Amino acid sequence: MVSKPRILVVEDESGIADTIQYVLETDGFAPVWCSTAEEALRQFAAAPPALAILDVGLPDLNGFELFRRLQALPGGPQVPMLFLTARVAEIDRVVGLELGADDYIAKPFSPRELVARVRTILRRAGAGQGPGGAPQATGASAAPMPLEVDAERMQIRYYGQPLDLSRYEYGLLRLFVQRPGRVFSRDELLSLVWDKSSDSFDRTVDAHIKTLRHKLKAVAPRVDPIRTLRGTGYALHEDLPAVP
Ligand code: CA
């Protein structure tokens, strides 16, 4: 018997929690609902789940503090965590402070998107176990990624074709490929891809994304693999078509 991955859902609004539980159950997960941080800490301590979804605005403790406390529990650092947030300022905090959370979903969210995100995170967590680690049975069908990074040659292939990228275009795309679906703010991209000393601004990122998109489009005119999240940043689409 394959046990269903247990997902901790920490959300004080029962309506939202119901929706999340419903879509998770439908997709073969075993959600455990906690309406307070205290309950979440107790559930987590009893048995660490496969993944935890944390609402930022909880009645007894904010989601960030809860995240820190969960991480401090035995097995905590191994559990992927996803924030649920309604406010742009909170999103900035999740993305900008590099709390180490795996992702976030902005409210209002699409339940399908939430489940897709959960699946991707668990797939990554399974893949990250190393050669000896068995992939986790999440019922996910891992689509082949049409972007392949050859770090030694500093080259990226897209649908089998090598891309002719500038240094920063390469840096951006490599970062996206490492974390499909993960949203990166412009500030974050600047600090992760650009040299500290270089004179760069938000618009520098936008300009490089634009040229990068142009090169990707030349290979696959009908696919736009980079998502723009207005006012937030950029992310790579998780489910790219297998053929362009
Ligand atoms: Ca709330």
Side-chain angles (χ1 to χ4, degrees):
M1 195 192 91
V2 179
S3 65
K4 294 177 178 176
R6 199 163 139 265
I7 313 282
L8 216 58
V9 179
V10 191
E11 167 63 68
D12 58 315
E13 284 172 64
S14 61
I16 296 175
D18 282 349
T19 308
I20 297 174
Q21 291 189 93
Y22 176 76
V23 289
L24 287 174
E25 269 167 17
T26 309
D27 260 70
F29 296 101
V32 178
W33 177 36
C34 307
S35 60
T36 62
E38 194 197 330
E39 207 182 321
L41 284 160
R42 209 166 44 229
Q43 284 282 357
F44 199 103
L51 182 143
I53 298 172
L54 313 178
D55 177 29
V56 174
L58 291 166
D60 52 342
L61 206 63
N62 80 55
F64 301 122
E65 186 53 36
L66 175 61
F67 173 80
R68 284 191 200 94
R69 296 203 193 171
L70 291 175
Q71 283 226 311
L73 291 173
Q78 283 81 48
V79 176
M81 302 196 209
L82 174 70
F83 280 114
L84 271 182
T85 175
R87 293 170 50 212
V88 174
E90 291 170 346
I91 295 174
D92 285 348
R93 232 184 125 189
V94 175
V95 176
L97 279 187
E98 296 183 32
L99 285 169
D102 286 78
D103 212 337
Y104 73 86
I105 294 260
K107 290 180 183 175
F109 57 89
S110 122
R112 303 302 326 156
E113 192 195 346
L114 178 103
V115 171
R117 218 64 87 74
V118 165
R119 279 217 207 109
T120 304
I121 294 170
L122 286 174
R123 196 157 70 208
R124 271 194 317 245
Q129 283 172 356
Q136 293 186 0
T138 62
S141 55
M145 168 61 77
L147 282 156
E148 298 162 276
V149 177
D150 182 343
E152 273 179 29
R153 291 181 179 79
M154 287 186 68
Q155 203 177 62
I156 300 179
R157 282 174 176 272
Y158 184 45
Y159 290 110
Q161 288 197 43
L163 297 166
D164 183 19
L165 302 174
S166 74
R167 177 179 161 200
Y168 295 124
E169 288 163 356
Y170 170 80
L172 284 169
L173 193 55
R174 190 187 59 176
L175 187 65
F176 289 139
V177 174
Q178 284 167 347
R179 304 287 303 271
R182 160 76 145 83
V183 179
F184 293 94
S185 71
R186 290 176 178 80
D187 280 349
E188 208 176 7
L189 291 171
L190 279 174
S191 68
L192 292 169
V193 176
W194 270 260
D195 302 328
K196 282 195 171 54
S197 56
S198 73
D199 210 6
S200 38
F201 308 93
D202 286 8
R203 258 169 294 163
T204 310
V205 174
D206 294 340
H208 282 80
I209 293 279
K210 195 175 170 187
T211 56
L212 181 57
R213 275 197 170 124
H214 197 73
K215 291 177 181 181
L216 293 166
K217 204 167 187 162
V219 174
R222 277 178 301 180
V223 184
D224 186 9
I226 300 170
R227 289 166 67 201
T228 303
L229 290 103
R230 219 167 275 276
T232 309
Y234 298 99
L236 186 73
H237 271 290
E238 283 152 273
D239 297 306
L240 293 172
V243 284

